[in-house]
Amino acid sequence: MNFRIRVAAALAVAAALIAPAGVSAETLRTDGPSITVTIRNETDAPMVLSSSDNPYGAWTDAPAAVIAAGATETLAAGSNDRRGFGLQVGYTMPGDATVVLMANNYGTGNANVDGTHIGGANRHGFEVATIVKDGYPFMTADFAVTRP
């Protein structure tokens, strides 16, 4: 084995030993605005991801494909745009209902969840309660999906 290969192998082993376990290459940014959302499915039915839109940011913890009945899911995103950004996530529910969750974190106004709604033929079978805990630049918001 030549010298370069031995050095490269030694550096790779050292890097593996130094890096803490469970660290992701994608971490929430601290140099630009971010949005962290907690979704609580307080219904008896799973929520199935139908859409996720984050055109001006990047997911650091993308929306789950399914949120089981009674489960909680956290998603997070960040942006390089210091003016802020918004995101939208949609989940289908039984009986042709769609829960659309929106989080807007712009520096020109209050962080908000304006636009959050339930649509579809069975929209009256579900409700969504929202709380914005922290605003710009590091927004946190909670959504609780329930039955009326």
Side-chain angles (χ1 to χ4, degrees):
M1 186 173 352
N2 78 27
F3 179 73
R4 280 192 231 171
I5 294 174
R6 284 187 297 218
V7 170
L11 288 174
V13 169
L17 294 173
I18 292 171
V23 171
S24 168
E26 296 183 33
T27 57
L28 196 57
R29 300 181 62 92
T30 58
D31 60 344
S34 66
I35 299 173
T36 302
V37 171
T38 301
I39 304 167
R40 292 189 329 267
N41 180 359
E42 297 177 354
T43 72
D44 56 352
M47 298 171 62
V48 179
L49 184 67
S50 58
S51 66
S52 65
D53 190 24
N54 183 7
Y56 304 108
W59 295 109
T60 52
D61 192 1
V66 176
I67 302 175
T72 299
E73 172 70 17
T74 301
L75 57 96
S79 177
N80 291 328
D81 190 340
R82 294 199 183 280
R83 295 172 296 176
F85 70 113
L87 56 86
Q88 176 178 317
V89 179
Y91 284 94
T92 58
M93 303 297 289
D96 188 30
T98 301
V99 176
V100 178
L101 309 172
M102 297 183 72
N104 305 294
N105 188 20
Y106 293 99
T108 56
N110 293 332
N112 63 70
V113 292
D114 295 353
T116 295
H117 66 279
I118 301 175
N122 192 29
R123 68 184 170 276
H124 303 295
F126 299 93
E127 294 177 342
V128 61
T130 63
I131 298 173
V132 175
K133 293 182 177 179
D134 298 305
Y136 182 85
F138 308 118
M139 178 184 187
T140 59
D142 289 343
F143 296 91
V145 179
T146 61
R147 295 260 190 195

